[in-house]
Amino acid sequence: MSDTDTSRFIALVLRHKPEAIDISLDEHGWASVPELIAGVSRTQHLDMAILERIVAEDEKQRYAFNDDKTLIRANQGHSVPVDVELAEAVPPEILYHGTGEKFASSIDERGLISKSRLYVHLAQDVKTATMVGRRHGRPVVYEVASAKMQDDGFKFFLSANNVWLTKVVPREYLCKLCVTEN
Ligand code: HQG
């Protein structure tokens, strides 16, 4: 099993399904490191050195340890209702949301909703949003009038790994971009 496979499983546990390995998260999303290692080790090889490598080398910096590395959590992306103490922040003028073409008509009608996750995820640039969208098939990217939204009272949060999050994006703040695939 590669680090990537193990990391995907850890993301599943820490964001969506801690019960998959019979552990629980506290109200701030923290899991016990020894419990996580023991639980994951039932099905794949994991020790502290591998976990430290996964956390340090993750390309999206998905995970964080506490100071003494006894606890670990995902920085964002949860569906389980935890409060990861997100920092409220002033967004740039425009943020971007990448999605699959198959969702576009529903989004055009209803705006962006968080579905199973706690927040709608927004990116700072079109390239990142396009990569996120590609996970769902042919990508479509929307511009989000984030500064205008904030002026109108919507809150924005920046996760520890620099993902912008907000609860919903009503359709009047969205503008669909044309994405050229090469
Ligand atoms: C879509 C990955 C129909 C939404 C990424 C998205 C991200 C609607 C899908 C993070 C809709 C939910 C999150 C509406 C939204 N009607 N579809 N009204 N509103 N949708 O996976 O943003 O690699 O829960 O556009 O990089 O794709 O896991 O959200 O396509 O940051 O760390 O419903 O996950 O990070 O899909 O991805 P998701 P997402 P990781």
Side-chain angles (χ1 to χ4, degrees), residues 39-99:
V40 173
S41 296
R42 291 186 207 154
T43 53
Q44 44 205 289
H45 181 54
L46 181 66
D47 58 26
M48 189 61 185
I50 297 173
L51 185 62
E52 287 187 302
R53 186 172 70 216
I54 287 173
V55 172
E57 294 180 3
D58 185 81
E59 81 277 10
K60 292 187 183 175
Q61 291 295 297
R62 290 179 178 87
Y63 317 105
F65 285 119
N66 67 342
D67 285 346
D68 64 4
K69 298 190 176 175
T70 54
L71 301 173
I72 185 171
R73 71 180 172 189
N75 285 318
Q76 40 66 234
H78 298 78
S79 56
V80 293
V82 294
D83 167 14
V84 292
E85 301 149 295
L86 290 166
E88 197 177 337
V90 178
E93 187 71 26
I94 299 288
L95 286 167
Y96 301 91
H97 178 82
T99 187

Side-chain angles (χ1 to χ4, degrees), residues 105-170:
S105 61
S106 168
I107 292 170
D108 291 343
E109 202 176 305
R110 302 168 61 195
L112 292 171
I113 54 173
S114 64
K115 286 197 170 164
S116 62
R117 301 194 198 244
L118 301 179
Y119 295 94
V120 172
H121 289 226
L122 302 171
Q124 206 132 6
D125 57 83
V126 176
K127 189 166 167 241
T128 307
T130 305
M131 279 175 350
V132 173
R134 203 166 276 138
R135 294 160 53 252
H136 301 285
R138 222 182 125 76
V140 171
V141 172
Y142 287 85
E143 267 187 15
V144 175
S146 36
K148 171 110 179 59
M149 275 182 75
Q150 200 188 41
D151 285 349
D152 292 347
F154 291 88
K155 289 186 176 175
F156 285 79
F157 303 91
L158 189 57
S159 69
N161 60 337
N162 287 317
V163 177
W164 285 93
L165 303 163
T166 194
K167 278 289 178 193
V168 290
V169 179

